[in-house]
Amino acid sequence: MLRLLRRQRALLNCAPISQDRLADRSMRAAVSRADDSDEFVNQQSFDRAVAALVRLIPIPPETAEWFSEKDLVVGSKWTWKKMARNPAVLAISIAVMVIAGVSVFQVLSRLNDFPGAATARKLLTVAASTRPVMLDPVSTEAGTLSDLFFMKHGLEHYDVPTEFADFRTIGCRVFEDEESRRIAQIWLAEKRMQLFLFPAERNAKTGAVLPFPGWRYIHQEGWVGAVSEHSGVCFMAALRGPEKDLEPYLSKATGK
Amino acid sequence: MLGDSSKAQEVFHTTLREAANRAAQGELPKERFWLFRDALWRCLEADKADLQPEALKLDEHDVAPQGASQIEQLEPTQLAVWISGAPDPQRTALALFYLDEFDYNEILDLAELKLSELSRFLAQGRRQLQAWLDAKHPEQGTV
């Protein structure tokens, strides 16, 4: 108890002159207990008077200069050029440009997307890895294979469009993809072109076919495909090379 | 601390020059009050060569209600000289406390004192200052 009182007495002797220095909890408690005593009130007013006089003690002019409000070091002027050369700004700018570039590329590549584009892309990969021995050898006109697909495999509307119907075939096959959709693949003698027929994409809720008009181009790993939809079945003509290699076949059809 | 403006100025400039040198060499200490401690040490060093106050037993009076008004009659330099005449470490304690820039924990850290010591130096300083004020203005004094 005596020790506690002694500590409180010691704290009161060190009680701050300004109230904003009452940060310490034990000091606050000691001050609040002694707040009403005459002795403490005298001490506080005495201390305040001394502190006020201390503030008036003159500072030599040469030393006072150090505390002037003027900037001791003039900061260099801010310019766009300087900011652009800052490594951090440079790195952030490059990163933002790369991200923007990738985003624009993705937006542009998805801009021409159509229902079934994802399947068409996968089939372009299949086309790139297919070898002639994997197909049943069939030498006929592509247009006649519609009957074969219907009679042998029960595939309705797997019709080769008229643009490609007259080309000679090397082989064909029907296989299932990973989603158990049945895909017809035809290999043509013409420019080693491959034709694919696969079910068109449907609305997940209603089951209705998602149609799209005309021909749509698609690209994957150096291959190009031209896709159209008819009666719930998509047709894709694919070959290795640029889009312009496929264009003549399609414009010929439009010409007809 | 020094009671002499030219000495104080020299200490101030030396402290800042040394700090600038250390900053240029990237050797600034991480300790919070190193600059104040450095300045304090330089003040004590500068004062060593001077005449030291005699170890007198000064009169002491309890702080009086009229103490504040007695102080107001003092010249600032008179107070500066009175504080600088106190023996160290009491002088350090009084100077840091009445600067009103630090709380008591910071003063303990800076002056490397214990709470009981700081308390004793401040209480004794008040009583001695009151006695000096009473001697200076006897008509207002308590004795």
Side-chain angles (χ1 to χ4, degrees):
Chain A
M1 186 68 181
L2 193 68
R3 212 171 132 192
L4 193 72
L5 286 173
R6 205 179 296 154
R7 181 174 161 78
Q8 275 192 13
R9 183 67 251 169
L11 283 170
L12 284 180
N13 279 335
C14 306
I17 298 160
S18 311
Q19 288 297 311
D20 55 355
R21 296 204 194 288
L22 271 174
D24 188 86
R25 199 172 154 192
S26 51
M27 177 64 85
R28 271 203 307 272
V31 167
S32 73
R33 267 191 216 109
D35 236 357
D36 296 333
S37 79
D38 290 342
E39 191 188 345
F40 185 65
V41 170
N42 280 348
Q43 177 190 310
Q44 286 276 279
S45 55
F46 186 88
D47 284 348
R48 271 195 286 273
V50 174
L53 200 61
V54 163
R55 276 195 289 276
L56 298 177
I57 293 174
I59 297 170
E62 294 89 341
T63 305
E65 274 177 21
W66 286 85
F67 301 104
S68 67
E69 286 180 6
K70 279 186 282 178
D71 291 337
L72 293 177
V73 181
V74 180
S76 56
K77 222 177 174 184
W78 183 90
T79 60
W80 281 105
K81 225 180 201 176
K82 266 188 183 173
M83 200 180 78
R85 281 183 197 151
N86 185 317
V89 174
L90 209 61
I92 292 168
S93 309
I94 291 170
V96 167
M97 279 196 292
V98 169
I99 292 167
V102 170
S103 305
V104 166
F105 175 77
Q106 287 193 336
V107 167
L108 287 179
S109 63
R110 293 280 177 266
L111 210 62
N112 292 323
D113 262 10
F114 53 90
T119 311
R121 271 196 201 93
K122 279 182 203 163
L123 291 177
L124 281 182
T125 314
V126 171
S129 60
T130 302
R131 299 290 168 265
V133 289
M134 293 163 71
L135 279 73
D136 302 328
V138 179
S139 180
T140 180
E141 285 178 351
T144 61
L145 290 177
S146 305
D147 296 335
L148 175 77
F149 293 142
F150 177 66
M151 287 191 289
K152 192 175 173 186
H153 302 285
L155 298 170
E156 262 187 281
H157 303 301
Y158 272 48
D159 304 324
V160 175
T162 49
E163 296 91 319
F164 298 92
D166 297 337
F167 291 118
R168 297 295 298 177
T169 65
I170 294 171
C172 74
R173 66 166 175 166
V174 172
F175 64 95
E176 286 186 359
D177 67 0
E178 62 266 33
E179 288 170 42
S180 301
R181 286 175 302 196
R182 300 179 81 194
I183 316 260
Q185 185 179 10
I186 304 164
W187 196 304
L188 299 184
E190 174 81 8
K191 283 195 176 176
R192 301 179 70 80
M193 195 186 293
Q194 293 183 41
L195 311 178
F196 291 88
L197 290 148
F198 55 95
E201 204 166 292
R202 290 172 183 273
N203 184 307
K205 282 182 185 169
T206 62
V209 171
L210 299 172
F212 59 91
W215 290 94
R216 299 294 179 92
Y217 285 103
I218 197 159
H219 304 86
Q220 180 85 4
E221 294 169 5
W223 281 71
V224 60
V227 187
S228 69
E229 185 274 334
H230 182 68
S231 303
V233 175
C234 282
F235 168 83
M236 177 170 75
L239 57 76
R240 182 190 290 274
E243 202 174 296
K244 65 178 173 50
D245 288 358
L246 259 181
E247 274 170 3
Y249 300 101
L250 305 183
S251 56
K252 192 172 71 183
T254 352
K256 276 182 189 173
Chain B
M1 284 289 292
L2 294 164
D4 181 334
S5 63
S6 61
K7 264 193 212 167
Q9 192 181 323
E10 198 183 320
V11 165
F12 176 77
H13 288 166
T14 314
T15 307
L16 279 198
R17 199 168 39 243
E18 182 64 23
N21 281 339
R22 290 169 85 171
Q25 289 164 16
E27 290 173 359
L28 287 181
K30 285 180 182 167
E31 193 197 348
R32 204 171 145 217
F33 292 121
W34 70 269
L35 189 67
F36 293 102
R37 211 189 288 272
D38 200 35
L40 177 63
W41 173 80
R42 281 177 204 284
C43 283
L44 297 178
E45 278 294 304
D47 199 40
K48 248 184 197 171
D50 285 354
L51 289 172
Q52 297 301 308
E54 285 179 60
L56 290 174
K57 175 80 180 117
L58 295 177
D59 281 346
E60 294 182 18
H61 294 170
D62 284 341
V63 173
Q66 71 274 17
S69 59
Q70 286 174 302
I71 288 164
E72 282 163 14
Q73 291 174 33
L74 282 178
E75 285 296 319
T77 42
Q78 286 179 303
L79 179 67
V81 169
W82 187 87
I83 291 176
S84 68
D88 218 67
Q90 186 188 28
R91 176 178 48 164
T92 301
L94 290 170
L96 291 176
F97 182 76
Y98 286 113
L99 268 178
D100 196 20
E101 294 289 338
F102 308 102
D103 65 33
Y104 79 98
N105 278 317
E106 290 168 337
I107 296 173
L108 296 180
D109 181 22
L110 248 169
E112 293 170 350
L113 293 171
K114 291 177 188 163
L115 176 63
S116 56
E117 291 173 321
L118 178 66
S119 162
R120 181 159 43 86
F121 292 142
L122 293 179
Q124 197 178 35
R126 283 187 199 105
R127 284 200 303 274
Q128 288 171 344
L129 181 56
Q130 181 64 66
W132 182 63
L133 290 169
D134 290 342
K136 218 171 154 44
H137 306 286
E139 67 281 7
Q140 292 181 353
T142 53
V143 183

